[in-house]
């Protein structure tokens, strides 16, 4: 499916582009490329007065705010270096951006993201970030369930597992919204938001 439109009130939502996550190896796109493409989208949206949402994941030092429950791959109790949860410099420094801290995979669960978007009249989001199959997909699913139009910038997201990335892009995202490259989204933005 090709991109059809960007609503008059569309926001970019960048998932987990923070020091500790951007520092990990990613595929099929390098994390640096994901950040630079997201920064290009964010700059274009800001220049048109459209919101940019920077989502980060973080936990209390004692992990008291982490998701409980048993899983086969536990992250609970890991020690993260100082500053791991700080949004990367390439996206920081814009006081008008909306900042959301999540403690779950989805940026909607347990945060004020939905309220922040609805109060600004947002009806569509453009998603970017790392990891495609975890934070981005979980947020896309919830955005769809909340009634937002979802656009997925597939070259502005990456994963540690290329098969997981491909599964999200090829099987899940077509059921949740429309996908396109950063260049295609920027071109559509230029046509629809002068």
């Amino acid at each position: 499916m090709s991109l059809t439109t960007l609503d008059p009130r569309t926001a970019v939502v960048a998932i987990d582009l923070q020091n500790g996550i951007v520092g990990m190896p990613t595929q099929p796109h390098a994390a640096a490329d994901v950040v630079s493409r997201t920064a290009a989208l964010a700059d274009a949206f800001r220049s048109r007065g459209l919101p940019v949402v920077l989502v980060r994941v973080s936990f209390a030092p004692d992990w008291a705010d982490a998701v409980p429950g048993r899983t086969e791959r536990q992250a609970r109790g890991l020690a993260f270096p100082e500053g791991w949860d700080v949004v990367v410099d390439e996206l920081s420094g814009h006081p008008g951006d909306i900042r959301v801290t999540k403690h779950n995979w989805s940026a909607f669960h347990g945060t004020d993201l939905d309220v922040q978007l609805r109060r600004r009249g947002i009806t569509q989001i453009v998603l970017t970030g790392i990891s495609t199959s975890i934070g981005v997909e979980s947020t896309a699913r919830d955005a769809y369930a909340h009634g937002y139009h979802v656009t997925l910038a597939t070259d502005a997201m990456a994963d540690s597992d290329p098969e997981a990335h491909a599964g999200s892009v090829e099987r899940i995202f077509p059921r949740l919204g429309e996908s396109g490259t950063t260049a295609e989204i920027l071109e559509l933005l230029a046509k629809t938001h002068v």
Side-chain angles (χ1 to χ4, degrees):
M1 174 186 283
S2 61
L3 299 173
T4 58
T5 191
L6 291 174
D7 293 352
R9 296 299 300 160
T10 299
V12 170
V13 179
I15 304 295
D16 300 343
L17 296 180
Q18 59 196 65
N19 293 332
I21 292 176
V22 167
M24 300 184 312
T26 60
Q27 297 182 34
H29 309 289
D33 293 336
V34 171
V35 169
S36 95
R37 291 175 184 134
T38 298
L41 286 166
D43 288 344
F45 272 64
R46 287 184 198 111
S47 73
R48 290 165 172 82
L50 296 171
V52 173
V53 182
L54 304 175
V55 178
R56 70 180 188 130
V57 62
S58 188
F59 304 102
D62 65 358
W63 285 77
D65 54 0
V67 178
R70 289 180 290 278
T71 63
E72 292 181 18
R73 292 181 62 189
Q74 286 282 354
R76 180 178 286 281
L78 294 176
F80 293 112
E82 184 72 27
W84 78 277
D85 57 355
V86 174
V87 172
V88 294
D89 290 344
E90 295 88 336
L91 295 170
S92 296
H94 302 275
D97 290 351
I98 302 163
R99 295 191 170 255
V100 172
T101 298
K102 66 185 178 87
H103 309 288
N104 299 282
W105 286 4
S106 171
F108 283 94
H109 186 80
T111 73
D112 67 346
L113 177 58
D114 186 48
V115 169
Q116 293 281 1
L117 295 173
R118 290 195 192 280
R119 288 190 178 164
R120 290 167 173 83
I122 300 302
T123 57
Q124 182 172 2
I125 63 170
V126 174
L127 277 171
T128 74
I130 301 172
S131 288
T132 308
S133 66
I134 299 176
V136 177
E137 182 179 314
S138 297
T139 301
R141 286 174 182 261
D142 281 353
Y144 177 79
H146 279 77
Y148 292 97
H149 298 289
V150 180
T151 299
L152 301 127
T154 55
D155 65 344
M157 58 181 70
D159 205 294
S160 61
D161 180 341
E163 291 177 14
H165 172 87
S168 294
V169 170
E170 295 166 12
R171 294 182 192 92
I172 304 301
F173 292 166
R175 300 182 67 124
L176 301 176
E178 297 178 341
S179 297
T181 65
T182 299
E184 290 169 337
I185 295 166
L186 289 171
E187 181 180 349
L188 186 58
L189 182 68
K191 288 179 183 175
T192 58
H193 295 73
V194 181

